[in-house]
Amino acid sequence: MSAAVQTRPVEEASASAGMWLTVFVGTQTFGLPVLRVRDVIASPRINHVPLAPREVAGSLNLRGRIVTAIDMRTRLGLPPREGNAPVMCAIVDVGEGIAAEFYALLVDEVGDVLSLGAERFEKNPVTLAPDWQTLCTGLFRLDAGLMLALDIDTVVMAGA
């Protein structure tokens, strides 16, 4: 076995260590890398965009910048929110520098920021639904259950 193959899991795990913002969609806990989160907004005003893909809930105005809102329930294949259930927005960035684009991930609830070490990180289990496996990089075992680590780039571009 080559040295590169032996060290790859360690490299993946260390890349996953750090600070994570917990968000909840349905009954599942997800994590967003804190360095990719730009803002959190409660009950944003979302404008419908005609002919947009199903998972695009619309757009919102973030301090003069138009941001595409992605409904994470739709993206994950979960049932829609009940009528006037509250919604939260995690504003994330995709890209670097002035070319970075902001996207709003609509979630049911935003939790705490957690500092997690590489020793808690595991690859996606084979029992995870195939659609979710493409959207997640792995999971962290927490005292309260499992937190799936979302791959923001894949989440945003999955419908593109």
Side-chain angles (χ1 to χ4, degrees):
M1 188 175 262
S2 72
V5 173
Q6 290 174 342
T7 59
R8 183 177 165 101
V10 173
E11 290 169 0
E12 288 175 2
S14 63
S16 299
M19 304 291 282
W20 294 83
L21 174 68
T22 57
V23 296
F24 302 91
V25 182
T27 59
Q28 182 59 54
T29 305
F30 292 95
L32 301 172
V34 166
L35 294 177
R36 302 280 304 272
V37 177
R38 294 296 164 239
D39 210 342
V40 174
I41 303 171
S43 303
R45 180 173 179 262
I46 299 172
N47 302 300
H48 176 71
V49 176
L51 304 175
R54 255 178 6 100
E55 61 274 1
V56 174
S59 65
L60 57 101
N61 185 334
L62 179 68
R63 294 181 288 282
R65 193 169 187 174
I66 302 303
V67 177
T68 301
I70 298 173
D71 188 336
M72 289 304 296
R73 281 183 164 270
T74 304
R75 174 71 83 217
L76 294 165
L78 297 174
R81 264 174 217 82
E82 294 184 19
N84 54 353
V87 64
M88 296 288 291
C89 248
I91 308 295
V92 297
D93 64 7
V94 175
E96 294 182 22
I98 60 171
E101 292 288 328
F102 291 169
Y103 290 85
L105 303 182
L106 302 181
V107 297
D108 298 333
E109 188 179 341
V110 174
D112 296 326
V113 172
L114 303 176
S115 178
L116 300 171
E119 69 280 356
R120 290 187 174 207
F121 182 78
E122 298 177 20
K123 287 185 174 182
N124 284 330
V126 295
T127 55
L128 188 62
D131 291 347
W132 285 27
Q133 283 189 16
T134 60
L135 299 176
C136 301
T137 58
L139 62 86
F140 288 92
R141 292 192 181 274
L142 307 176
D143 296 337
L146 301 177
M147 180 187 81
L148 294 170
L150 283 174
D151 179 345
I152 292 173
D153 297 322
T154 305
V155 166
V156 168
M157 298 303 166

